[in-house]
Amino acid sequence: MEKLEGFLSSKLLPLSQKLQQNKVLAALMEGFIRTSPITLGIALITIVGNFPIPGWTDYLTSIHVYEHVEAITNGATGVFSLYVVYSLAFSYAKQLGTNERNAAIISLASFIMLMPQTVATLVMQDGKAVDSSIAALRLDFLGGQGLFIGMIVALVVTHFYAFLAKQNIVLKLPESVPPMVTQSLAPVFVVTIIFVCVFIVRVLFGLTGSGSIFQFFIDVINAPLNSLVASPLSIIIIMELLAILWFFGIHNAVLQGPLGAISMTMIVSNIGAYQQGQELPYLIPSVIYMGMYAAGFMGFVTFTMIRSKSAKMKQLGKLSFIPSIFNITEPVMFGMPIILNPLFFIPQVFAQLIAGFVTWGLATTILPISLNPTMSLLPWTTPTFIKMPFSGGLNYTILMVICMGIGILMWYPFIKIADKKEYELELAAEAKIKKEKESMDGVITEEIQA
């Protein structure tokens, strides 16, 4: 393992450091890190509100508490794209040397301007339900489904703003005007140009069948998957695509259409057959799905981080460990970050892919699984190491251990490399502070002696 770590450090670390010097990647990493307090802060409420006990959610609903849990969750993750747009634009503007607050607020406004602003609904007229629409923003576009578009908007608008600002297209105001007012009003012409461009983009995508840039992106991603049926290969393709898209900051919610259709087909068909004592029609695809899910379990990643030398990684590991046990991965994905971090591309993309084919091979040969599909109805926060043993007994537990082992082997060397890098940066920062302090003490001593 040490030889592997040394090889990866010598080959990948220089490449990763070089890529991270890119202004866009640097802004993306800083922007995501700045949003980590939100994902960490919401974790406890999310876990308690969706605790994996049968009937718990129904109980909270009956005492009118669950609606407030949802409100808190939606206020954080349900509109997470808004926070990412502002934070990313702010970070990128700092990299470009332009006004951070102006760039961030203009990017945020542009993002909302591109969004559909009506929601279809039904109203009662003369005792009949009639199609209508109301002025509203959809939470799915404000949350996970809008994340990638938000990233693009933040980067493009900020870059365009920085370019126009350098052209000195500003409103000239007298020197007597307070600086705060000048900074707010000076870029009015620049903002007008940006908003005209946003208007043109909105109109052009409005002419498409999708109706908006958000839906167009989702349709393009979903199109090749909508024709897939539940099969071992299709599950591997979709789960692998989820891992790849998540690395690039595209939330799993974007694929909820085809994934939801396939997963519900498997669950309903398997439960129906199980209740009638028949062979499960989607046994292998269901087993592969959970095997890949086990390989993507982030609990061992955060546990490894807790044992790091780096103070940053150790603290982030402690904060992210409990959420990761309950399948809440956003704190570590955005806090490390893993998203768009070149160092973590290999484990993020290939761990589940390898586990998928290993699961397929084992389940169809030497490790047959007897599955209880009703366990699929457990809450999504149910820890994997609880769900799989209860779902399939000993063989399923062995399969889970193997898949988790694949995940550990894939992630461990890269976590160690990241730890080494962060620890060296922290030591360098401490040495710099110590040197500055010693220099300051020397100056003070000389002044006293003088």
Side-chain angles (χ1 to χ4, degrees):
M1 185 65 74
E2 290 182 1
K3 291 182 178 179
L4 177 60
E5 289 178 30
F7 173 78
L8 292 174
S9 295
S10 63
K11 300 297 181 182
L12 289 181
L13 197 54
L15 176 62
S16 173
Q17 290 173 337
K18 186 174 181 180
L19 289 173
Q20 288 172 10
Q21 291 173 358
N22 178 275
K23 291 182 178 181
V24 173
L25 283 178
L28 284 165
M29 294 185 68
E30 182 182 345
F32 284 131
I33 290 173
R34 286 182 180 276
T35 62
S36 58
I38 296 172
T39 55
L40 288 166
I42 197 65
L44 176 62
I45 296 175
T46 303
I47 292 170
V48 173
N50 297 274
F51 204 72
I53 297 176
W56 175 251
T57 302
D58 293 336
Y59 171 70
L60 293 181
T61 302
S62 67
I63 61 174
H64 305 291
V65 170
Y66 191 70
E67 60 189 88
H68 302 295
V69 172
E70 286 188 312
I72 297 298
T73 304
N74 286 333
T77 58
V79 293
F80 192 68
S81 292
L82 296 179
Y83 308 132
V84 170
V85 170
Y86 188 91
S87 178
L88 177 53
F90 191 98
S91 300
Y92 191 39
K94 186 169 65 174
Q95 292 284 334
L96 297 176
T98 192
N99 190 295
E100 297 100 332
R101 290 176 178 79
N102 283 349
I105 200 70
I106 294 166
S107 296
L108 187 58
S110 300
F111 176 69
I112 295 174
M113 289 174 183
L114 288 171
M115 195 174 296
Q117 296 177 15
T118 57
V119 175
T121 185
L122 293 175
V123 296
M124 299 300 296
Q125 290 184 0
D126 300 326
K128 296 181 180 180
V130 180
D131 291 334
S132 183
S133 62
I134 58 173
L137 298 176
R138 289 173 51 179
L139 274 179
D140 46 2
F141 290 154
L142 291 168
Q145 290 192 24
L147 186 58
F148 185 73
I149 299 299
M151 290 163 52
I152 299 299
V153 169
L155 293 173
V156 171
V157 170
T158 300
H159 191 86
F160 194 31
Y161 171 81
F163 170 77
L164 293 175
K166 290 179 181 177
Q167 310 308 310
N168 205 27
I169 311 174
V170 296
L171 179 66
K172 302 295 183 180
L173 296 174
E175 293 183 1
S176 58
V177 177
M180 182 180 68
V181 177
T182 301
Q183 292 177 7
S184 300
L185 297 180
V188 65
F189 296 136
V190 170
V191 178
T192 301
I193 295 171
I194 292 174
F195 286 170
V196 168
C197 293
V198 170
F199 173 77
I200 294 171
V201 171
R202 180 183 172 89
V203 169
L204 291 176
F205 278 96
L207 297 175
T208 66
S210 301
S212 72
I213 187 173
F214 292 85
Q215 193 60 49
F216 179 84
F217 173 73
I218 293 171
D219 292 344
V220 169
I221 292 292
N222 285 342
L225 300 176
N226 284 331
S227 59
L228 291 178
V229 295
S231 70
L233 189 58
S234 69
I235 293 300
I236 290 176
I237 290 173
I238 290 180
M239 291 294 287
E240 179 59 14
L241 189 57
L242 287 175
I244 294 172
L245 294 179
W246 200 201
F247 176 81
F248 288 100
I250 304 173
H251 198 276
N252 300 348
V254 172
L255 292 180
Q256 66 181 5
L259 181 60
I262 290 175
S263 62
M264 286 308 298
T265 298
M266 292 194 303
I267 291 171
V268 173
S269 300
N270 282 342
I271 289 176
Y274 180 78
Q275 291 173 337
Q276 296 178 20
Q278 300 174 355
E279 184 178 345
L280 303 188
Y282 297 107
L283 173 63
I284 299 302
S286 299
V287 170
I288 291 173
Y289 175 86
M290 285 306 298
M292 296 181 73
Y293 200 77
F297 179 66
M298 301 301 287
F300 46 75
V301 174
T302 54
F303 179 75
T304 303
M305 291 168 61
I306 292 173
R307 300 167 63 87
S308 298
K309 292 181 180 179
S310 162
K312 171 198 168 183
M313 291 188 64
K314 184 177 291 187
Q315 192 62 34
L316 181 60
K318 291 178 181 178
L319 293 171
S320 304
F321 180 67
I322 298 299
S324 68
I325 293 295
F326 292 91
N327 303 318
I328 300 172
T329 62
E330 282 81 358
V332 68
M333 291 297 291
F334 291 109
M336 182 85 84
I338 291 172
I339 290 175
L340 285 169
N341 190 333
L343 188 58
F344 297 119
F345 178 81
I346 291 177
Q348 172 65 20
V349 170
F350 290 105
Q352 289 178 290
L353 180 64
I354 294 171
F357 283 106
V358 169
T359 300
W360 191 0
L362 291 176
T364 53
T365 53
I366 62 174
L367 206 63
I369 306 296
S370 297
L371 193 65
N372 179 356
T374 59
M375 293 293 105
S376 300
L377 302 177
L378 288 172
W380 63 273
T381 50
T382 305
T384 306
F385 55 82
I386 293 176
K387 192 172 189 177
M388 289 186 71
F390 277 97
S391 299
L394 179 61
N395 280 8
Y396 213 23
T397 303
I398 294 172
L399 186 63
M400 176 194 73
V401 172
I402 291 172
C403 291
M404 284 188 171
I406 292 171
I408 292 170
L409 289 174
M410 290 294 294
W411 277 98
Y412 183 79
F414 295 94
I415 294 295
K416 296 298 288 183
I417 293 170
D419 177 39
K420 180 181 178 182
K421 173 190 169 186
E422 291 293 338
Y423 186 60
E424 289 174 351
L425 290 174
E426 290 172 4
L427 289 178
E430 289 177 6
K432 183 179 179 181
I433 293 173
K434 184 179 180 180
K435 185 176 180 181
E436 290 176 350
K437 184 180 179 181
E438 290 175 350
S439 176
M440 185 63 69
D441 289 343
V443 171
I444 294 174
T445 302
E446 289 178 0
E447 290 179 351
I448 293 173
Q449 291 176 347

